[in-house]
Amino acid sequence: MTLDLIIHGGYVITMEGPGTGIINRGAVGIKGNKIVAVGEEQDVTSRYTAHRYIAAKGKAVMPGFVNVHMHTGDAIVRSCAQDLPGKIWRFKGILPLLGVARDEDFAAASRLNIVEALHSGITTFGDYYSPMTEIVKNHIQLGTRAVVSGMINELPPDVSVVEVDQLIPLDPAVGQRKLADNRKLVQEYHESFGGRITCRYGPHSAAMCSEEMLREIKHLADQDGVGIFTHLVQTKEEVTQTRLRTGKAPVALLESLGYLNKKLLAAHMTYASLDEVELVARSGAALALCSTSISVVRGALPPAQEFAGFGGCVGLGTDQVCNCTNMFDEMKYAALIHKYKNHDATIFPSWKILRMATIEAARALCMEDTIGSLREGKLADLIILDLSGPQMNPIYERPIRNLVPNLIYSALGNEVESVMIDGNFVIENGRLTTGDEGAIISAVNRAAARISEEMENLPWTAGLPLAQWTRDGYY
């Protein structure tokens, strides 16, 4: 058989089996959008020919990273609401800033964030934002694999009226509009573009939706046969709000509504009790671990270790853009912060962390049969990494192999040389092939300049902590 492409001679990290499944001198054969062969270089090249060969000696070939939870449009206010007390971060930090942005600004920022993520080897995006009916077009054009949802809430248009210790005045009209947008997204884009785009429903949280809205979302998700993204027990305020509105804690409320099953991907659970963690883990629902984001906005750590200990599936996500969208950054921090938490260097070893960014992340999205590892019959989503940089050397193959620890603890992300999704290179030799990267960056900066000008003329912005710190010269 003649294949379209054989990548040969490099370290092939298959992520098959219980660990990482490395072949020291391996090869991957691709035809169309599928992987046809994975094995030793000599075996694959003797059995197949190809129209194109890529020599990968001194490089690593592995499945692309699966980012289970992110809000690409938030890049429009990157690092504009950091270093704040967790209690005020949302309603006195990021949401007022986002309220100044327009739909076209979110779409432009999403393009930027997607390109940034691609450069760090992310091939599948769990993107959860609004207006997703516009943002999804970025994934289509840039060639990514994406599981997308809107972000449904009933927050009032003016969040300055919100006080987190009092019951939030929800606006049903806002919720119905956002639900209608999410329904339109599912109807128009689910399993489109050869299955590269799939859709979910996305209630923001139990605190930001009425019980009636949560029931309606669950009904539509079941009717349409799709999964659900949500934030769950992300904040202490979420617990307070949900109890004030329904008399139940968030986990108990979602359980009563039938949310807790394998079609749910719950982000964070930062302030859940151990009993709640066990309940969700044993239900089959998956957890999105976004260590860097939660550390920046909450100074806290989600219970991923406990969730996994109860048999739950944990996938890594980069969440909103507090710093950067780089899976290498996320992997390293997740490993180190859990070691620090436990005073135990054996917790979350590098091989486990790499699985949480690939095959286990794919399982969290119910996609482990098609992505997350390099195996015959799976989709051709993979990355090629250049190991020539000083931070990746020396390389040991025996009796100790140090490739995986180097990827977690030493890599910077710029090792990613090429990125293939669905059998097509979207980044090749470091260059974006599906868009004009310079134009994408310029468009976001034009939007930021306009937002900045508008904010200077709004009276409430002067009272923002970061505005004060800027005036005082700290920023």
Side-chain angles (χ1 to χ4, degrees):
M1 180 189 296
T2 300
L3 307 181
D4 295 323
L5 173 66
I6 292 177
I7 306 168
H8 64 97
Y11 297 96
V12 176
I13 308 172
T14 68
M15 302 310 299
E16 285 286 293
T20 56
I22 295 177
I23 305 169
N24 282 344
R25 274 161 289 283
V28 180
I30 296 157
K31 190 173 182 65
N33 70 340
K34 294 286 184 70
I35 296 170
V36 173
V38 181
E40 299 285 347
E41 177 184 26
Q42 185 174 1
D43 178 53
V44 172
T45 55
S46 66
R47 289 191 295 126
Y48 299 96
T49 58
H51 295 297
R52 182 184 178 190
Y53 291 84
I54 294 179
K57 184 177 180 181
K59 299 177 182 180
V61 184
M62 64 174 290
F65 296 121
V66 179
N67 190 338
V68 300
H69 182 81
M70 63 191 305
H71 311 294
T72 60
D74 267 346
I76 193 61
V77 292
R78 184 198 301 271
S79 295
C80 288
Q82 79 285 357
D83 302 333
L84 296 171
K87 185 174 180 179
I88 70 168
W89 171 79
R90 187 184 305 280
F91 292 106
K92 306 299 181 183
I94 194 169
L95 285 184
L97 304 180
L98 294 175
V100 184
R102 304 170 185 170
D103 284 356
E104 58 266 29
D105 302 328
F106 296 129
S110 168
R111 282 191 292 277
L112 174 81
N113 200 195
I114 291 168
V115 172
E116 176 189 3
L118 285 173
H119 276 297
S120 81
I122 294 168
T123 55
T124 297
F125 294 65
D127 199 358
Y128 174 26
Y129 210 68
S130 296
M132 190 52 74
T133 48
E134 291 302 312
I135 289 173
V136 69
K137 296 173 185 176
N138 295 332
H139 291 290
I140 292 166
Q141 293 164 2
L142 292 169
T144 59
R145 189 173 306 285
V147 184
V148 296
S149 78
M151 192 144 60
I152 305 164
N153 61 52
E154 298 174 275
L155 291 177
D158 181 8
V159 296
S160 66
V161 303
V162 171
E163 295 296 337
V164 295
D165 293 328
Q166 301 172 15
L167 190 62
I168 297 173
L170 300 183
D171 187 334
V174 171
Q176 287 301 321
R177 176 176 57 79
K178 292 185 176 183
L179 178 60
D181 287 346
N182 203 152
R183 186 87 199 276
K184 180 181 178 183
L185 176 78
V186 172
Q187 292 174 333
E188 291 188 8
Y189 292 102
H190 185 53
E191 296 184 339
S192 62
F193 294 87
R196 188 163 55 82
I197 306 296
T198 53
C199 301
R200 291 190 170 209
Y201 283 92
H204 198 145
S205 73
M208 298 185 194
C209 296
S210 65
E211 187 169 344
E212 293 73 23
M213 172 60 73
L214 291 170
R215 288 184 188 277
E216 190 170 2
I217 291 169
K218 179 63 167 59
H219 170 73
L220 289 175
D222 289 345
Q223 179 178 298
D224 294 334
V226 300
I228 293 174
F229 286 146
T230 197
H231 301 93
L232 184 57
V233 206
Q234 180 181 7
T235 67
K236 294 177 181 178
E237 295 75 42
E238 179 185 332
V239 178
T240 300
Q241 289 292 320
T242 308
R243 285 192 182 280
L244 285 172
R245 193 173 305 282
T246 70
K248 297 176 182 176
V251 171
L253 177 61
L254 293 192
E255 182 189 26
S256 72
L257 298 176
Y259 272 71
L260 302 188
N261 57 55
K262 68 177 183 179
K263 288 189 174 182
L264 177 70
L265 180 63
H268 313 316
M269 295 196 70
T270 316
Y271 296 98
S273 70
L274 193 60
D275 287 343
E276 290 173 327
V277 172
E278 181 176 8
L279 175 63
V280 177
R282 296 197 187 284
S283 76
L287 177 68
L289 171 61
C290 309
S291 304
T292 58
S293 174
I294 293 299
S295 289
V296 170
V297 304
R298 287 276 155 184
L301 182 64
Q305 179 185 344
E306 294 80 1
F307 194 92
F310 289 123
C313 179
V314 179
L316 297 188
T318 60
D319 204 1
Q320 55 89 30
V321 186
C322 299
N323 41 25
C324 62
T325 303
N326 184 323
M327 191 56 80
F328 291 91
D329 188 50
E330 198 67 39
M331 291 191 296
K332 181 176 182 177
Y333 186 73
L336 296 183
I337 195 64
H338 283 89
K339 296 177 191 305
Y340 171 79
K341 170 189 173 183
N342 290 273
H343 295 269
D344 183 350
T346 69
I347 301 299
F348 279 0
S350 52
W351 64 267
K352 179 67 172 176
I353 289 289
L354 195 62
R355 288 183 64 84
M356 290 164 64
T358 53
I359 186 61
E360 293 180 25
R363 185 172 294 115
L365 292 173
C366 305
M367 299 173 74
E368 71 272 22
D369 291 339
T370 55
I371 63 169
S373 68
L374 302 182
R375 186 180 74 204
E376 181 179 340
K378 283 199 169 186
L379 293 166
D381 290 10
L382 57 81
I383 59 178
I384 303 173
L385 301 99
D386 181 359
L387 305 178
S388 65
Q391 73 279 9
M392 300 304 294
N393 287 275
I395 298 173
Y396 285 86
E397 293 183 3
R398 62 184 188 278
I400 296 170
R401 186 188 283 121
N402 67 344
L403 176 56
V404 170
N406 275 347
L407 289 174
I408 303 305
Y409 303 122
S410 298
L412 303 173
N414 58 7
E415 297 83 2
V416 176
E417 180 179 271
S418 296
V419 177
M420 173 179 282
I421 301 174
D422 218 33
N424 299 305
F425 280 114
V426 296
I427 289 184
E428 191 163 10
N429 297 319
R431 185 182 65 84
L432 180 70
T433 66
T434 53
D436 184 335
E437 190 165 336
I440 289 169
I441 294 171
S442 294
V444 176
N445 278 311
R446 286 195 299 272
R450 196 206 74 250
I451 291 169
S452 179
E453 184 174 350
E454 288 187 17
M455 286 178 61
E456 284 192 320
N457 296 318
L458 294 171
W460 54 264
T461 59
L464 292 176
L466 267 76
Q468 181 62 54
W469 299 338
T470 299
R471 290 193 300 271
D472 291 345
Y474 292 108
Y475 286 112

